[in-house]
Amino acid sequence: MKTKKGTAVFSLLAVTGLILISSESWTQTTKQVSSDAVQEAQTPGKVSITRPEQKKNEHDLKDIFAATKAESSSAAFKEQPDEGKMEGFDFYRDPLNSKKPMMTFDEIYKTDVAEKPKIMEKQKELLEKRYNLKPNLSSDVKMTRGKPIAVGPTARLADGATWDSLAAMNAEDIRAKKAFPYPPLPHPKQVTGGQVFPKMQIDMFPRLQRFDVDFDLPDAFLPEFPPAIFLQNRPELGDVSRGEVVSINNYYRLFKDLLTPVQLDGLRMLVTPFPQEEFNPTDDRKSEEASLGIACLDCHVNGHTTAQFHLNPDIRPQERRFRLDTTSLRGMFNQQIHSSKRSLRSVEDFTEFEQRTAYFNGDEIHAAKKGMNILSRVQVSHMAQMQNMFDVPPAPKLDVSGRLDPAKASQAELAGEKIFFEKGKCGNCHVPPFYMDQQMHDLKMERFTQEPGDGPMKTFTLRGIKESPPYMHDGRCLTLEDTVEFFNLVLGLKLTGEEKKNLVAFMRVL
């Protein structure tokens, strides 16, 4: 019996040891999985220089390889314009975003790095003049994974103005006095523009760092990172993100048992990096190292957003373009038009356009230069199938028609719903159950600001709206309270303080 007992104890220890080993092995595997495979694919390993062919020789170190050192193929060029030299556009290096034609990457890099502190300081001054950027966080209202929402309004009013005094003024007077508290929010570097990622995302994926400009809004006013993921084909699972950012490293492990092969292949394409205007191998890129590019889900993180911004690709000249926040892909399956201005009529067209030109600011010339990615319609349809799986967050207080269940809603929420569909006029464009109308509308903002206005813009869904700050196409409204104040002025609603609070309470449960 003693032997058997000892054997049993030994066996238990052995099993325990195996469990410990397995746990350690699992931890190591987890650490490996959490690394950035895309970054590693671009980073050469350090190799000791031991062989003669590894050493740079005198020829290697000469500057004869520079374009400016090339000898002319004919002496006759001396008599030709510009001596036969291309001083402007070049296929691989051009004057885009340069101070002078044919700047080298090193020259551009040094210039941009030197100018960056001043650029960001100017943007900081502008933001602090417009907003109170010290966040007031809700003690009870949180996003799906627990991030508290910021409470507003945050806008700073003109001297002597109050929200009630502004609401009593007509549009012409507000414009003449430059008193409108929500003018367009500019890109920190308009001439260059391009996609800018928040620090919390760059901390995880350093390849998204730009050397010429930084993100400008505090993290407290942004969506969760990582955002939750809801699948409309498996609603009973709730958030399926498991607290991870979906990438090329983990997409298969996370979703192989949740998606069909077609959807999984679409997800693979959505997490595969392709060249983009600022992130690519060319000399006019804005990443310090040559890059494979960015993936669709770098911008639409977990099928949602972290408020990354760029410039809309649909307007010229450059100074007329406006800042555009990355929108969520949640609920794509229920949307019939896509993109803020382009009014694309299918997810497939939207996907193909984004891959081919929008990543390049709507410019096919630069796309061809930096790595245009022509996808077959089979791949496009797979990507569309996956995008159509992303669902909006559950809204337990709504019934099947998208209206509040009186048995579950608070009095403030019920009062807010009444305002939403009546005095607030919100329901005119944001129609249940998805709280959008598949239309484009023009708010004619030129009535209130010195800018020319943006023209018709797509109505975006309000389902899950508390998880998608900041608001409006350019993020000029940092909180839901700011958004209510914005529309109270633009639509002339004359809402009371209590009505505004109730309206926000209703939108928080959508």
Side-chain angles (χ1 to χ4, degrees):
M1 292 295 292
K2 287 183 179 179
T3 304
K4 289 183 178 179
K5 184 176 181 181
T7 302
V9 172
F10 177 78
S11 299
L12 180 60
L13 288 173
V15 171
T16 305
L18 286 172
I19 291 172
L20 289 173
I21 291 170
S22 298
S23 177
E24 183 179 355
S25 174
W26 181 84
T27 302
Q28 292 175 351
T29 302
T30 302
K31 288 180 179 177
Q32 292 173 357
V33 168
S34 64
S35 65
D36 186 350
V38 175
Q39 182 68 25
E40 291 173 0
Q42 303 175 77
T43 307
K46 293 183 179 180
V47 180
S48 299
I49 299 177
T50 58
R51 292 177 282 109
E53 65 268 30
Q54 291 177 279
K55 298 177 182 179
K56 287 186 179 293
N57 55 39
E58 184 178 350
H59 178 76
D60 297 331
L61 298 174
K62 288 182 178 179
D63 63 356
I64 59 174
F65 306 100
T68 55
K69 299 293 183 178
E71 295 181 11
S72 298
S73 61
S74 172
F77 290 165
K78 290 286 185 180
E79 305 301 320
Q80 292 187 7
D82 297 324
E83 298 182 357
K85 296 178 181 179
M86 182 179 287
E87 298 292 342
F89 177 84
D90 179 75
F91 187 77
Y92 203 71
R93 182 178 68 243
D94 68 37
L96 177 70
N97 305 329
S98 303
K99 298 297 182 184
K100 61 181 181 180
M102 299 297 288
M103 286 179 71
T104 67
F105 174 77
D106 286 342
E107 289 174 322
I108 296 172
Y109 176 81
K110 289 175 182 177
T111 300
D112 283 350
V113 169
E115 292 178 349
K116 181 177 177 179
K118 183 178 179 180
I119 289 170
M120 296 315 301
E121 184 60 32
K122 293 292 290 185
Q123 185 74 352
K124 181 181 179 182
E125 290 176 4
L126 180 143
L127 292 172
E128 290 180 340
K129 181 179 179 181
R130 290 190 182 185
Y131 305 103
N132 176 6
L133 294 176
K134 184 178 180 180
N136 174 25
L137 302 180
S138 174
S139 59
D140 59 338
V141 182
K142 296 178 173 58
M143 301 179 199
T144 298
R145 298 197 59 82
K147 181 176 182 177
I149 68 169
V151 179
T154 63
R156 298 185 188 276
L157 303 184
D159 291 342
T162 66
W163 291 112
D164 288 339
S165 67
L166 281 177
M169 296 170 62
N170 60 40
E172 291 74 18
D173 288 341
I174 292 176
R175 185 179 189 274
K177 295 181 179 181
K178 299 181 180 179
F180 190 70
Y182 301 106
L185 182 62
H187 194 293
K189 198 173 183 182
Q190 180 72 18
V191 170
T192 305
Q195 194 81 336
V196 183
F197 295 87
K199 183 179 182 301
M200 58 187 177
Q201 190 172 354
I202 291 172
D203 287 343
M204 182 174 286
F205 301 104
R207 59 189 170 80
L208 302 176
Q209 177 71 62
R210 287 177 58 163
F211 57 73
D212 64 327
V213 68
D214 284 330
F215 197 85
D216 53 358
L217 297 178
D219 288 356
F221 299 105
L222 308 183
E224 294 180 307
F225 183 79
I229 303 174
F230 305 96
L231 297 177
Q232 56 103 332
N233 63 330
R234 295 295 301 278
E236 78 280 6
L237 295 177
D239 174 20
V240 299
S241 72
R242 283 157 274 187
E244 298 185 42
V245 175
V246 179
S247 70
I248 199 71
N249 299 302
N250 60 13
Y251 82 97
Y252 189 82
R253 170 172 57 83
L254 290 174
F255 291 99
K256 62 185 175 66
D257 296 323
L258 305 181
L259 302 173
T260 68
V262 163
Q263 295 159 2
L264 197 63
D265 183 59
L267 182 56
R268 175 186 64 82
M269 295 293 294
L270 292 171
V271 295
T272 298
F274 295 107
Q276 190 257 12
E277 183 76 273
E278 294 76 34
F279 301 88
N280 59 72
T282 66
D283 285 355
D284 55 355
R285 66 182 185 270
K286 294 304 177 184
S287 57
E288 183 173 357
E289 300 295 333
S291 170
L292 293 176
I294 61 173
C296 299
L297 293 199
D298 280 332
C299 300
H300 303 280
V301 177
N302 284 10
H304 192 44
T305 175
T306 51
Q308 313 91 333
F309 62 84
H310 56 116
L311 293 180
N312 78 305
D314 313 294
I315 300 175
R316 293 297 186 276
Q318 186 77 359
E319 60 269 29
R320 185 60 179 81
R321 299 169 68 188
F322 55 74
R323 175 169 170 156
L324 191 65
D325 277 14
T326 300
T327 189
S328 176
L329 299 183
R330 290 174 174 177
M332 186 76 87
F333 60 88
N334 220 15
Q335 300 179 32
Q336 295 173 15
I337 62 173
H338 307 278
S339 183
S340 57
K341 297 290 287 182
R342 296 188 296 269
S343 190
L344 299 170
R345 298 308 170 111
S346 73
V347 182
E348 288 81 1
D349 289 344
F350 170 79
T351 301
E352 189 171 17
F353 186 92
E354 290 295 307
Q355 281 283 351
R356 194 177 71 254
T357 61
Y359 278 179
F360 301 95
N361 294 310
D363 185 345
E364 287 193 318
I365 300 300
H366 278 156
K369 164 189 167 182
K370 299 187 176 192
M372 180 187 289
N373 186 44
I374 305 299
L375 299 175
S376 75
R377 289 297 284 191
V378 173
Q379 291 173 310
V380 167
S381 67
H382 289 187
M383 296 168 75
Q385 282 290 302
M386 183 60 231
Q387 291 173 82
N388 283 331
M389 291 301 106
F390 293 122
D391 205 353
V392 294
K397 292 189 177 183
L398 300 184
D399 61 22
V400 293
S401 68
R403 300 296 295 268
L404 280 178
D405 182 342
K408 298 178 180 178
S410 69
Q411 288 302 310
E413 292 161 357
L414 289 168
E417 181 184 45
K418 182 177 176 62
I419 296 163
F420 186 94
F421 290 105
E422 296 179 10
K423 185 177 179 180
K425 302 179 183 178
C426 316
N428 292 350
C429 301
H430 297 280
V431 182
F434 219 61
Y435 289 85
M436 64 183 301
D437 66 352
Q438 315 292 356
Q439 298 293 320
M440 299 178 71
H441 301 276
D442 187 356
L443 294 176
K444 301 189 181 301
M445 292 305 301
E446 60 272 18
R447 295 176 296 151
F448 293 89
T449 71
Q450 303 298 313
E451 291 79 14
D454 301 317
M457 300 286 290
K458 171 190 170 182
T459 302
F460 290 89
T461 177
L462 295 187
R463 285 286 284 108
I465 191 63
K466 77 175 189 294
E467 305 201 3
S468 299
Y471 304 105
M472 308 305 292
H473 63 269
D474 56 3
R476 71 180 72 180
C477 296
L478 302 188
T479 67
L480 284 174
E481 287 81 2
D482 287 296
T483 310
V484 168
E485 296 290 0
F486 174 93
F487 279 102
N488 189 49
L489 297 176
V490 172
L491 300 182
L493 303 177
K494 302 292 191 293
L495 297 177
T496 67
E498 187 68 20
E499 288 172 331
K500 294 173 187 176
K501 290 180 181 178
N502 292 339
L503 185 53
V504 169
F506 172 64
M507 289 194 290
R508 285 175 173 179
V509 301
L510 289 179

